[in-house]
Amino acid sequence: GSSEVLSRLFEARERPAFVRSAMAATGRVNVFARVRPGVAREDGDQHCVDMNTDTGKCLVRLQDGDAVERVLAGGSAAIRTVEKEYTFDGVFDQESNQKEVYEDVGKPVLKDVLQGYNGSILAYGQTGAGKTHSLLNSGMGVDGKPDPKQAGLLPRLVAALFVHVGADVKHVYTVEASMLQIYNEQVDCLLGDDREKAQGLQVTGKSEVKGLVWHKCKTPNELLQCFQKGRMNLVYAETKMNKSSSRSHAVFQIKVSKRPRALDKTGTKGGKVEMKATFGKLTVVDLAGSERIKKSGVTGTQLKEATNINSSLLSFGNIVQALAEKKKFIPYRDSKLTRILEDSVGGNCKTSLLVCCSPSAESSDETVSTLEFASRAARIEITATINEGVVVVDAASLVADVAGDGLDAALKLKHSEMMAMENKLKADAQKETAQLKKAKEDAVKAQQAEKAKATEAGKLMEKWRGKGGGGGKKNTS
């Protein structure tokens, strides 16, 4: 399949990773562009895209489409080239690897989600441009053996999430996952066991889907298995442009709640404790690729699919245009896709967009269209706030906290050491407080004793003076 071909091409172009700067909190959508390596069907095609990874600039060379007519009319056969340049938050050339894409695009969004923000990552571009490879590649090589270097953004986000959860002994996390597709303007849950009930779900509120199944996941393997199950239910088809073309928009969601971990047994005997918590949501969207019907050669069912894909992408483009121009009315209700993405684009969310391009001159028009879309998206302003609330933790959960449930052996030891240190600090503080209190009381008693002695001495002095004064008068009379 084309995903295997792309894996092989990206694998052949791996290079040592380097540290890139984290996403700046600029208050707008952060936009990144990636050009994939050429594929076999493009052999002989000239490449028209140059990425400068140092400056974040993307250059597209457009050839003169009237050259043949010009020659027939007796004109010059010299090819005239028009160049278009775009600047984004980051770009990835054909040599860039999956880890570099994660470091720039995925890691900053995950950091925001762990702090309690909503975060979204969307992949957009022409069919066969490498979106699914960049987002969803499971980390398997072309030989069927695990190859972590080829893992896409989603598996890396899952792994990094649980690495963080496992290393944070001060907090308790709850992780839930869902997955849906929008196929021919129908919303389907991809994790429901009853496939009939999972189809044709309704979008009820702002980005809310009624009947969507959420699975709690305690390990990275559980979460990855959820998404693998969902991917098996996605609709793919072979076209001239892509041997494994996504025929639906795929939306992956991960909810992450975080609260403090109880470090002692206070309140564990039948009681409940209220704790502050944060609630972050990560949304990863693999948008089906736009395609020109003549190039993809689709007919019948695939023609209907392509028509719906292009229609929903047009609606998505319209809301991006409206948000970029700061219009008062945003047409979110024009499609199921835009209704579901209402909270991800222009809502309470930190959003990153990855646009993927083909290097071939044959696809230059589509590439320019993709990059123009990306430039508009970069003008969308965002306002995201941390989602905070209060959760009630029961006694059983508090006991589990103290026992270090959810931590591995090494972290349980670290947790026990932290608890022992915490208890020692509390005991030392209590001892110091008691000592200070006793010292204060002793000082007050000593002061009172000195005052009493001074009072007694004053009385004796007065008495002595009285006797001395009376004797003097008697001697002079």
Side-chain angles (χ1 to χ4, degrees):
S2 63
S3 59
E4 294 181 347
V5 173
L6 281 173
S7 295
R8 186 183 294 110
L9 287 163
F10 277 102
E11 179 181 9
R13 290 163 171 79
E14 288 283 278
R15 67 182 180 192
F18 57 88
V19 178
R20 295 177 185 252
S21 60
M23 178 178 67
T26 57
R28 61 171 177 79
V29 171
N30 287 268
V31 178
F32 303 85
R34 186 182 197 184
V35 60
R36 62 158 171 75
V39 294
R41 60 181 167 80
E42 296 168 343
D43 286 350
D45 290 355
Q46 292 185 345
H47 286 191
C48 68
V49 181
D50 288 330
M51 298 287 192
N52 188 324
T53 56
D54 294 325
T55 63
K57 292 186 182 297
C58 172
L59 182 70
V60 183
R61 294 179 299 277
L62 298 172
Q63 293 183 1
D64 183 3
D66 297 327
V68 174
E69 284 74 12
R70 188 172 61 251
V71 171
L72 291 173
S76 171
I79 297 176
R80 300 171 185 173
T81 302
V82 177
E83 294 184 346
K84 284 182 173 284
E85 187 177 77
Y86 304 87
T87 302
F88 301 114
D89 295 283
V91 298
F92 307 96
D93 58 21
Q94 297 181 35
E95 304 297 323
S96 296
N97 58 46
Q98 297 280 66
K99 183 179 180 181
E100 290 170 356
V101 176
Y102 167 74
E103 290 291 328
D104 257 20
V105 183
K107 188 175 181 179
V109 177
L110 178 61
K111 182 179 178 182
D112 290 331
V113 170
L114 288 168
Q115 291 175 345
Y117 291 100
N118 294 333
S120 291
I121 300 171
L122 300 94
Y124 177 93
Q126 175 190 11
T127 184
K131 299 182 302 299
T132 301
H133 173 83
S134 296
L135 275 191
L136 308 182
N137 191 291
S138 62
M140 298 296 289
V142 294
D143 56 359
K145 296 181 180 180
D147 184 3
K149 290 181 180 180
Q150 296 304 313
L153 273 168
L154 186 61
R156 290 176 185 273
L157 287 164
V158 170
L161 168 62
F162 280 97
V163 166
H164 178 90
V165 169
D168 186 357
V169 298
K170 290 187 176 181
H171 295 93
V172 174
Y173 293 80
T174 301
V175 178
E176 297 178 273
S178 73
M179 184 176 174
L180 62 88
Q181 73 173 358
I182 304 165
Y183 175 69
N184 284 340
E185 277 302 289
Q186 174 178 291
V187 180
D188 301 332
C189 174
L190 299 177
L191 299 183
D193 293 328
D194 189 330
R195 299 304 307 144
E196 187 174 341
K197 289 184 179 180
Q199 295 178 355
L201 303 184
Q202 298 300 311
V203 185
T204 54
K206 188 176 182 181
S207 302
E208 295 294 327
V209 177
K210 185 178 181 180
L212 187 63
V213 174
W214 289 87
H215 283 287
K216 283 190 176 181
C217 302
K218 294 184 178 181
T219 67
N221 283 339
E222 285 182 23
L223 187 47
L224 288 172
Q225 285 172 6
C226 271
F227 290 142
Q228 191 60 35
K229 175 184 177 181
R231 284 200 69 185
M232 291 175 65
N233 291 323
L234 278 172
V235 180
Y236 292 94
E238 182 174 346
T239 70
K240 290 181 180 179
M241 297 290 292
N242 190 350
K243 288 188 177 180
S244 185
S245 175
S246 301
R247 311 311 291 169
S248 64
H249 307 295
V251 181
F252 307 80
Q253 293 180 308
I254 303 173
K255 289 180 179 177
V256 182
S257 65
K258 179 178 73 173
R259 64 166 177 82
R261 179 183 291 274
L263 294 177
D264 57 43
K265 296 183 179 181
T266 303
T268 57
K269 294 183 179 180
K272 295 180 179 180
V273 176
E274 288 189 350
M275 292 185 177
K276 288 185 177 180
T278 60
F279 306 90
K281 183 172 74 172
L282 174 63
T283 303
V284 179
V285 185
D286 183 17
L287 295 166
S290 59
E291 59 184 77
R292 294 197 175 185
I293 307 300
K294 289 183 179 179
K295 282 190 176 182
S296 61
V298 294
T299 58
T301 300
Q302 292 179 25
L303 177 60
K304 179 183 177 183
E305 293 168 348
T307 302
N308 278 301
I309 289 169
N310 290 340
S311 175
S312 60
L313 289 176
L314 177 61
S315 298
F316 182 53
N318 289 338
I319 70 164
V320 167
Q321 181 76 23
L323 288 166
E325 295 178 356
K326 300 180 177 60
K327 291 185 177 180
K328 291 184 179 180
F329 175 71
I330 312 298
Y332 286 113
R333 293 187 171 273
D334 284 359
S335 73
K336 296 287 179 62
L337 174 65
T338 51
R339 288 191 67 187
I340 288 174
L341 295 184
E342 182 175 355
D343 207 32
S344 296
V345 183
N348 175 31
C349 190
K350 291 195 173 184
T351 303
S352 287
L353 172 69
L354 175 66
V355 296
C356 297
C357 310
S358 162
S360 172
E362 287 291 319
S363 299
S364 59
D365 289 343
E366 288 86 351
T367 296
V368 167
S369 176
T370 296
L371 298 175
E372 291 288 347
F373 171 86
S375 295
R376 289 192 294 274
R379 290 156 43 202
I380 298 176
E381 296 179 353
I382 58 174
T383 302
T385 57
I386 293 177
N387 304 303
E388 295 178 306
V390 175
V391 293
V392 178
V393 184
D394 60 23
S397 297
L398 292 171
V399 171
D401 283 7
V402 175
D405 280 14
L407 303 175
D408 61 26
L411 288 172
K412 276 188 178 181
L413 178 60
K414 183 179 178 182
H415 174 61
S416 298
E417 291 173 352
M418 284 185 61
M419 285 183 59
M421 185 181 295
E422 191 88 17
N423 292 332
K424 184 177 183 303
L425 288 172
K426 284 183 180 179
D428 290 346
Q430 291 172 351
K431 184 178 179 182
E432 185 178 353
T433 300
Q435 289 175 342
L436 288 171
K437 183 179 179 182
K438 186 176 185 303
K440 184 178 180 180
E441 290 174 348
D442 290 345
V444 170
K445 288 179 180 178
Q447 186 179 15
Q448 290 174 342
E450 289 296 326
K451 186 177 180 180
K453 286 181 181 179
T455 301
E456 185 64 29
K459 288 180 179 179
L460 290 173
M461 182 63 72
E462 288 295 326
K463 186 177 181 181
W464 179 80
R465 285 177 180 172
K467 287 180 179 181
K473 288 179 182 179
K474 185 177 181 181
N475 292 334
T476 57
S477 59

